[in-house]
Structures are given as structure tokens and as C-alpha cells.
């Protein structure tokens, strides 16, 4: 058993001038967007070709899946152009209302209003930008005009791009887009290898874009006739002194053998790396409690006196203002917390497989126990690995029509069992306890006294039972604003109930163990939808109400009370606890928070990016900067987009300006913005890295009892 934990602390050093660093243009953190032209506008699982971008809804019809434009929205498509030329947009419809029309805008050009017929050909301007161009369609009868097909003509045959660690080869009609953020004063260096036996008309071009819509050609092959065209060409481009973003576009035109771009890299002056971290010795606490409140949103902590206990613990410890889950539902979020891996699908962790936190603490000599009300963490499933004791105390069933209403007092039940285990901890032994309450998770049915105080009777009599919430989600029950207000109040009552029980638990714990011997990490696994985007419950979107969660770390005498504003994630909690278990710095995909917990100032970058994935959306992923958020939801068929049932949208991509629109209501996908282009390349790079880290899927061992318990909570279990 370790007798001390090594906590890194920054050490002072003298000033060091800028250093020059080289980074590959395409690397572990930066992906590339490959663009080719395509005739039909489709819903691909990639970000290539022509796309139905936003404002479309699929409907089921016998033998076909037509598109409709929802009421009150415009529909946007995104076209790929590899050269400026005359093209047309083809709109094929059926069952048009009489005298129906469509108004069309391409980029900044209003193209006019066109009468609809089975087939309409709309000329596009020949000066649309190379790369991506958006076309907006507004139908006079949205919700009634069925669009069978959207296409563009003519198109160039799709070229081929092959990316490898040293660069990429390119042939045929294609473009490769890479966007990077610059600190200022950098250069692009690259080498171009011309095609062997080039064909007439083959052209390769490199453009640089510092402002949207203003590309500058910096290299072209073949060059002037007097130049030798069959020798490797060295490229050296000054990127200018201004910080910001730059988009490079590698364009291939014409048919023939492949050319190759290699050794492409940015050369930039940058600040020196942080000084080495010294280490301070802290005796590990006797008891570590990882306390998870299921489905607790960050915006319900510290609001109107709803959580006085958590507020007090935050004032005595460290409160993280911008903490995020890496998934919007329990299994992938908890797998990330335990293993440090962000899951891109619903696979279980194999056993043996990635080392779990409980296994690390057990190997370090700690007694390990899990006390939970969530069946996803039951003893037969992958999240129980490493725990010597697993206590599953689920709620009674209330989902099925013949079930009796259930009071959700799970926190009290779990606290009672947790205190029993803590009392049984032998003298001199250290313990790691995972405590996961089903509050404020559905059902929103707190004890009557809490409901009366936080959710007094009003204009609605709707209840917060799981069966009710599922009926609302699945659109089997229609509700009004009074009903929505009532359900929000019932959710808030569940928050208040868990907070009250947490206070009672901490009071009892303080009678058993010196508070200075207890490290408490209080957080959540994900948030909850409360109609901000039309939906309820969780697991089916990546909006902030689902991924922004609280984090409070409390360790009297060892952790300095303060607030951290830099972004943090579930993976950072994993790294922090792993370091504590290992007694020294341990590898993790997250970043240990010990410098923030013990240093005199923040060391976490405030411009850090946050990534997340929603396995329940079959491939939806998210990246978030301080200013903007990008979500890719490339599902196929009628279930594309975010949401489930009530609140379902059909958009392929979501872009939000978080400063102007913190509620994420206005989807700006398709708007020209270089930061968004940069976020897309970062997200594609992140996806590629995560795919390489995914473990082999574990074997599903769910019993019929566990299946029934999950279905009682409203989960759809395959």
C-alpha cells in the first residue's frame, strides 16, 4: 500500500525566449476533410461530397423516404465545387400543393422563386466558391411538399486521396482541406512530387485562406511553360504575423496519375513548454469517495438555494465551473470514468481488458466497493470489474402500466448501505468507494415533503413517473407548457432531495472518520433534457444540458479552496484518481487535476477543447471551444440527427456560437467560419485517435433481471 502520493507542483524558472517548433500538417490531433463532387445530395456518414446539411425531415412512405421541410425553418444543402463553372440544382417533388413554390438562395445570391413541378432545374451562379457552397431552399408549403430527390449537374468524376503517415497522394478531381490555428509568424513547408507521365489537363493547386471566402493561390503545377514540371517542388509559404486560423486547400483537377504532397508541416515560433513539475508528498486519505449523482445537470447546482450542501462543499473545496461529461448517458460515461477511454459505440469493456480505476486501487492495497442504484453498474456487467463488493440497490419498477408508483428515495437507501460498509472498514485499511445514486434520475418522484417544498401543486397534475416521461418522449402523450413546467419542478425536487441526503450522509461520515481523512469527488455521469430542445430524459443529444455536469472536489486540509474556470472532463477525473492510486504520475487520456487542486494558480489551458461522443446516436461526436461548438450526427435513414421521439431533428451537422447563443438554439451549420473548419479537422483527428484506442468488445452477460430493471427505468435494451 502506498504511504504517500506524489502531487505535481509547478516550479519557478527564469524567462525563456520563444522556440521554433515543427508540427505535421496532418497528425494525431488534426484530420483532413476530403472533398469530391457527387450528383445526388445524400446523408453520408462522412463530411464529404454533397450533403443535406440542416432543416430537413425524413418521413416514411411506402417504397420511398421523401424529405419534408419542417414548419418555420429553411432547408440548407451543401454542395462541393472543385472549379467555378455553370451548374444546376435539380429538385424532384411529388404531391405538391397547388401553386406551391420554392425560393432559392446560393451563397449571397438570391436566385429567385420557382414554381414547383415534378422536376425543377435551378441554374446556380458560376462564381460559387471552390470547396463548399451552401444553397438555402424555402418552400411555400413546408411540411406538405415532398422532395424525392435533390441533385446537382454536371459533376466531375470523384478522384482518389490516399493518406498515410508521410503525407497523401491525390489523383482525379478532389480537394483536401486542412485548417489550423496559428499563434502568428509561422510558415508552411511542404514537398510536391509531380505525377509520373502526367496527362493533358492535369492540374494541382495549393491555396491558403486566412479570411473566409478569400483564398490565395500559393502554388500551382504545372507552372509557367519554361519551368521544369517533372521534378519535386519545394514549397515554403509565409503565413503572416497575425494569429488566428488558416485553411489550406490541396486541389487536384483532371484525370491522370497521382501526385503526392509530403513532409507538409507548420513551422511556428511558440512559447517554451511549461517547466518541469516538482512533486510534493501528501499522505493519501483513508477513504476516497467517488460520488456520482445520476443525470445531474450543472445548471441546477448553486441555483436558488437548491443545493446548499454541495454549495458548502464547493466553498470548502474546489469547484470546477466548466466540467463536461464525455457521453450523454451512463454506460459510456462511466466506462470513460473507470478506464480513461471515450467510447464511440455501446461495446462493453472486455475483462481482462483496460485497467479500471477499482482495479488500480485494489492493486494499490485499497479495499474497493461499489454501491449503486443503476443496473448498468450491476455485478454481472463490465463496470463492476475491480470492486471487491458490489451492491446494486435499484429502484422498484414504476414503468409498466400495472406497476405501483415509486418514491425515488434511492440516495437514502444507498447512503445507509455505504455507511454500513465504511463502519466495517478494518482499522488501518484504506478504502475506495464508488457511490452512484439514482437522483435526480427518473422517476421524478421525490419524497412528499421535498415535492411540496420544491414542486408545489400548480397548473398541471402531470406526474414524474418513468412511464409518463417515456410516453412524453415517444409522443404518446401530448403536454402543454404547464406540464413542462411541472416536470422541470419535479426534476429540481429530485436534485434538492439528493442534496439533503448528501448532507445527512456527510454528517454521519464525519462521526466515523476525521474529515481530513476523506477525499470526496462529487460529480455526475451526464445531464438531462428538460425541453430546451423539445426532448426529455437523456442519451440522445450532445447539447450542453446533456454534457455539462458539476464537479466538486473536497479534501479538508489538503485541497486549497478555490474555483477553476478552465474546461475539464470526465477523463480528467480518471487521470486524477489514477495518479492517486498509482502513487506517481500515471498515463491517461485525461489530464490530472492535482496541479489545479494544490497549486496557487490555474495551470489548465483556458482555451482547451472538449470532445464527447454519443454511442446511442451511432456515430455522433462533438467538439467544443470556448466560443463555438460543432456536432456531427451522420446517421443514415430516417433516424438521422439528434434527439429521440419528441425533439428529434434531422440535421447532419450543428454549429453554435456559444457567446451569442448559449442555449444552442440557432444552428449555423454551413456558415463560412474558419474556426468551425478548424474544429472539424480537430474532431476528425480526435475520432481517428479514439478509433485506434477502442478495445475489443466485451461479451454481453445481461440477465433477464437486469434487463427488466433497465426497461423499468425507460431504457430501450436491445
Amino acid at each position: 500500500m502506498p504511504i504517500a502520493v506524489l502531487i505535481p507542483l509547478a516550479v519557478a524558472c527564469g524567462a525563456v525566449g520563444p522556440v521554433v517548433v515543427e508540427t505535421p500538417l496532418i497528425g494525431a490531433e488534426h484530420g483532413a476533410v476530403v472533398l469530391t463532387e457527387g450528383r445526388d445530395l445524400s446523408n453520408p456518414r462522412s463530411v464529404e461530397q454533397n450533403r443535406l446539411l440542416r432543416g430537413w425531415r425524413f418521413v416514411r412512405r411506402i417504397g420511398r423516404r421523401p424529405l419534408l421541410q419542417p414548419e418555420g425553418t429553411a432547408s440548407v444543402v451543401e454542395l462541393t465545387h472543385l472549379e467555378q463553372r455553370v451548374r444546376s440544382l435539380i429538385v424532384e417533388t411529388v404531391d405538391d400543393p397547388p401553386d406551391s413554390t420554392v425560393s432559392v438562395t446560393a451563397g449571397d445570391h438570391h436566385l429567385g422563386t420557382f414554381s414547383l413541378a415534378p422536376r425543377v432545374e435551378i441554374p446556380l451562379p458560376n462564381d460559387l466558391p471552390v470547396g463548399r457552397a451552401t444553397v438555402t431552399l424555402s418552400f411555400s408549403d413546408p411540411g406538405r411538399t415532398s422532395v424525392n430527390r435533390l441533385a446537382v449537374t454536371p459533376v466531375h468524376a470523384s478522384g482518389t486521396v490516399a493518406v498515410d503517415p508521410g503525407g497523401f497522394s491525390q489523383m482525379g478531381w478532389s480537394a483536401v482541406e486542412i485548417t489550423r490555428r496559428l499563434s502568428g509568424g509561422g510558415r508552411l513547408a511542404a514537398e510536391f512530387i509531380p505525377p509520373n507521365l502526367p496527362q493533358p489537363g492535369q492540374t494541382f493547386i495549393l491555396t491558403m485562406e486566412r479570411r473566409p471566402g478569400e483564398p490565395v493561390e500559393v502554388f500551382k503545377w504545372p507552372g509557367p511553360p519554361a519551368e521544369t514540371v517533372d521534378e519535386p517542388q519545394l514549397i515554403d509559404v509565409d503565413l503572416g504575423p497575425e494569429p488566428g486560423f488558416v485553411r489550406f486547400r490541396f486541389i487536384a483537377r483532371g484525370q491522370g496519375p497521382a501526385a503526392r504532397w509530403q513532409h507538409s508541416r507548420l513551422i511556428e515560433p511558440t512559447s517554451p513548454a511549461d517547466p518541469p513539475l516538482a512533486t510534493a508528498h501528501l499522505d493519501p486519505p483513508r477513504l476516497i469517495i467517488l460520488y456520482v449523482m445520476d443525470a445531474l445537470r450543472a445548471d441546477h447546482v448553486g441555483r436558488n438555494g437548491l443545493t446548499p450542501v454541495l454549495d458548502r462543499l464547493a466553498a470548502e473545496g474546489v469547484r470546477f465551473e466548466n466540467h463536461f461529461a464525455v457521453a450523454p448517458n451512463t454506460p459510456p460515461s462511466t466506462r470513460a470514468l473507470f478506464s480513461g477511454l471515450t467510447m464511440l459505440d455501446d461495446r462493453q469493456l472486455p475483462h481482462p481488458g483496460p485497467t479500471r480505476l477499482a482495479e488500480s486501487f485494489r492493486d494499490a492495497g485499497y479495499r474497493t466497493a461499489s454501491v449503486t442504484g443503476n443496473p448498468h453498474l450491476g455485478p454481472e456487467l463490465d463496470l463492476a470489474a475491480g470492486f471487491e463488493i458490489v451492491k446494486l440497490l435499484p429502484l422498484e419498477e414504476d414503468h409498466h402500466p400495472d406497476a405501483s408508483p415509486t418514491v425515488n428515495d434511492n440516495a437514502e437507501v444507498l447512503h445507509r448501505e455505504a455507511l454500513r460498509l465504511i463502519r466495517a472498514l478494518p482499522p488501518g485499511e484504506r478504502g475506495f468507494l464508488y457511490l452512484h445514486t439514482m437522483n435526480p434520475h427518473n422517476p421524478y418522484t421525490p419524497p412528499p415533503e421535498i415535492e411540496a417544498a420544491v414542486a408545489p401543486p400548480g397548473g398541471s397534475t402531470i406526474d414524474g413517473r418513468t412511464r409518463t416521461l417515456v410516453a412524453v418522449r415517444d409522443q404518446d402523450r401530448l403536454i402543454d407548457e404547464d406540464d413542462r413546467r411541472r416536470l422541470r419542478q419535479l426534476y429540481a425536487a429530485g436534485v434538492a432531495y439528493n442534496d439533503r441526503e448528501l448532507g445527512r450522509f456527510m454528517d454521519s461520515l464525519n462521526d466515523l472518520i476525521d474529515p481530513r481523512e476523506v477525499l470526496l469527488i462529487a460529480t455526475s455521469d451526464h445531464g438531462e433534457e428538460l425541453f430546451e430542445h423539445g426532448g426529455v430524459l437523456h442519451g440522445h443529444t450532445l447539447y450542453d444540458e446533456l454534457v455539462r455536469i458539476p464537479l466538486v472536489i473536497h479534501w479538508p486540509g489538503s485541497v486549497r479552496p478555490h474555483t477553476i474556470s478552465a474546461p475539464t472532463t470526465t477523463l480528467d477525473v480518471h487521470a486524477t484518481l489514477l495518479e492517486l492510486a498509482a502513487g506517481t504520475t500515471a498515463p491517461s487520456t485525461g489530464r490530472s487535476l492535482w496541479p489545479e487542486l494544490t497549486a496557487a494558480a490555474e495551470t489548465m489551458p483556458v482555451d482547451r477543447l472538449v470532445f464527447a461522443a454519443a454511442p446511442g446516436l451511432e456515430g455522433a461526436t462533438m467538439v467544443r471551444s470556448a466560443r463555438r461548438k460543432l456536432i456531427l450526427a451522420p446517421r443514415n435513414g430516417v433516424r438521422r440527427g439528434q434527439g429521440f421521439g419528441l425533439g428529434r431533428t434531422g440535421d447532419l451537422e450543428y454549429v453554435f456560437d456559444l457567446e451569442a447563443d448559449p442555449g444552442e438554439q440557432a444552428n449555423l451549420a454551413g456558415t463560412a467560419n474558419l474556426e468551425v473548419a478548424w474544429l472539424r479537422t480537430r474532431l476528425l483527428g480526435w475520432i481517428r485517435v479514439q478509433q485506434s484506442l477502442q478495445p475489443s468488445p466485451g461479451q454481453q452477460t445481461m440477465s433477464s433481471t437486469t434487463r427488466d430493471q433497465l426497461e423499468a427505468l425507460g431504457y430501450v435494451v436491445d
Side-chain angles (χ1 to χ4, degrees), residues 532-595:
E532 291 83 2
H533 294 90
V536 290
L537 299 175
H538 51 265
H540 304 287
T541 80
L542 287 165
Y543 298 117
D544 269 12
E545 60 262 24
L546 263 295
V547 295
R548 193 164 191 164
I549 57 175
L551 175 63
V552 172
I553 298 181
H554 183 266
W555 188 4
S558 296
V559 167
R560 180 180 63 85
H562 61 295
T563 297
I564 298 296
S565 59
T568 56
T569 76
T570 300
L571 300 174
D572 302 326
V573 177
H574 171 267
T576 303
L577 285 170
L578 184 62
E579 185 171 331
L580 191 62
T584 185
T585 301
S588 173
T589 54
R591 182 189 187 279
S592 173
L593 299 175
W594 285 115

Side-chain angles (χ1 to χ4, degrees), residues 73 81 91 137 213 355 434 546 594 602 651 686 693:
T73 65
H81 284 264
V91 182
L137 299 92
T355 302
Y434 180 73
L546 263 295
W594 285 115
E602 289 191 31
D651 292 348
W686 178 83
L693 297 174

Side-chain angles (χ1 to χ4, degrees), residues 283-611:
D283 290 334
R286 183 180 179 213
L287 180 63
I288 301 166
I289 302 177
L290 180 51
Y291 188 103
V292 173
M293 293 155 280
D294 204 309
L296 176 59
R297 299 161 50 127
D299 62 2
H300 277 57
V301 175
R303 191 184 76 171
N304 300 326
L306 200 61
T307 55
V309 175
L310 266 176
D311 297 347
R312 174 179 59 81
L313 293 171
E316 296 172 354
V318 181
R319 179 172 68 93
F320 293 81
E321 291 183 317
N322 291 291
H323 187 64
F324 294 88
V326 297
N329 56 319
T330 298
S333 178
T334 310
R335 288 180 182 120
L337 180 62
F338 286 178
S339 71
L341 297 175
T342 301
M343 307 302 294
L344 299 182
D345 57 31
D346 282 320
R347 71 182 65 191
Q348 289 199 11
L349 296 173
H351 188 71
T355 302
R356 279 64 147 185
L357 276 178
E359 294 174 315
S360 296
F361 277 106
R362 182 197 60 197
D363 294 345
Y366 288 77
R367 308 297 295 269
T368 60
S370 169
V371 180
T372 176
N374 193 316
H376 283 301
L377 290 102
E380 66 192 25
L381 300 180
D382 60 320
L383 294 173
F387 289 107
E388 300 169 279
I389 299 172
V390 178
K391 294 290 185 179
L392 172 62
L393 305 172
L395 296 171
E396 295 179 12
E397 182 179 280
D398 90 327
H399 173 53
H400 299 294
D402 57 350
S404 299
T406 300
V407 173
N408 188 346
D409 60 352
N410 189 248
E412 182 179 358
V413 174
L414 265 58
H415 292 161
R416 188 182 308 122
E417 177 62 21
L419 289 169
R420 186 188 69 80
L421 292 175
I422 293 170
R423 291 188 186 97
L425 186 65
E429 294 281 355
R430 301 186 189 275
F432 172 68
L433 172 65
Y434 180 73
L435 187 53
H436 186 122
T437 69
M438 290 298 284
N439 302 106
H441 191 286
N442 58 284
Y444 307 160
T445 53
E449 69 277 10
I450 294 288
E451 180 178 338
V454 180
S460 170
T461 59
I462 195 170
D463 63 72
R465 295 180 61 185
T466 297
R467 58 178 290 190
T468 302
L469 294 165
V470 169
V472 170
R473 180 196 66 190
D474 295 346
Q475 299 176 284
D476 294 329
R477 175 169 179 169
L478 299 179
I479 61 173
D480 58 21
E481 184 53 37
D482 286 339
D483 295 327
R484 287 188 282 271
R485 184 182 303 109
R486 174 69 176 163
L487 290 175
R488 293 188 192 104
Q489 289 175 334
L490 290 171
Y491 172 85
V495 175
Y497 164 72
N498 198 112
D499 190 77
R500 183 191 73 178
E501 295 305 313
L502 174 60
R504 293 175 175 178
F505 172 74
M506 295 301 293
D507 288 343
S508 298
L509 182 62
N510 291 342
D511 292 336
L512 298 175
I513 300 179
D514 186 335
R516 294 171 296 181
E517 286 290 306
V518 178
L519 167 62
L520 173 71
I521 298 179
T523 187
S524 180
D525 51 352
H526 55 78
E528 187 83 334
E529 293 185 71
L530 295 174
F531 305 105
E532 291 83 2
H533 294 90
V536 290
L537 299 175
H538 51 265
H540 304 287
T541 80
L542 287 165
Y543 298 117
D544 269 12
E545 60 262 24
L546 263 295
V547 295
R548 193 164 191 164
I549 57 175
L551 175 63
V552 172
I553 298 181
H554 183 266
W555 188 4
S558 296
V559 167
R560 180 180 63 85
H562 61 295
T563 297
I564 298 296
S565 59
T568 56
T569 76
T570 300
L571 300 174
D572 302 326
V573 177
H574 171 267
T576 303
L577 285 170
L578 184 62
E579 185 171 331
L580 191 62
T584 185
T585 301
S588 173
T589 54
R591 182 189 187 279
S592 173
L593 299 175
W594 285 115
E596 276 62 42
L597 295 174
T598 57
E602 289 191 31
T603 62
M604 188 80 72
V606 296
D607 59 351
R608 192 175 184 224
L609 296 182
V610 171
F611 298 91

Side-chain angles (χ1 to χ4, degrees), residues 61 68 71 93-102 114-118 139-147:
R61 299 281 177 84
L68 293 177
E71 296 278 353
T93 62
V94 293
D95 305 327
D96 297 320
D99 301 320
S100 58
T101 61
V102 59
F114 303 84
S115 297
L116 286 176
F139 293 93
S140 60
D141 292 281
R144 299 175 62 198
T145 301
S146 298
V147 178

Side-chain angles (χ1 to χ4, degrees), residues 612-674:
L617 287 176
E618 298 180 8
T621 52
M622 176 206 91
V623 60
R624 190 187 195 280
S625 68
R627 174 69 185 271
R628 290 183 171 84
K629 183 173 182 177
L630 169 68
I631 300 171
L632 299 180
R635 298 185 70 169
N636 289 325
V638 298
R639 299 180 65 193
R640 66 199 292 270
Q642 295 192 92
F644 185 91
L646 188 68
R648 159 71 66 189
T649 67
D651 292 348
L652 172 70
E653 184 173 304
Y654 304 77
V655 173
F656 301 108
D657 183 335
L658 299 173
E659 290 185 4
D661 178 28
E664 301 170 280
Q665 296 297 315
N667 184 2
L668 304 178
T671 304
N673 183 280
L674 289 181

Side-chain angles (χ1 to χ4, degrees), residues 679-700:
L679 289 174
R680 187 181 292 110
T681 63
R682 289 298 308 271
L683 183 55
L684 293 175
W686 178 83
I687 292 170
R688 186 176 63 247
V689 171
Q690 302 314 306
Q691 288 172 338
S692 70
L693 297 174
Q694 299 295 289
S696 301
Q699 184 176 2
Q700 178 70 277

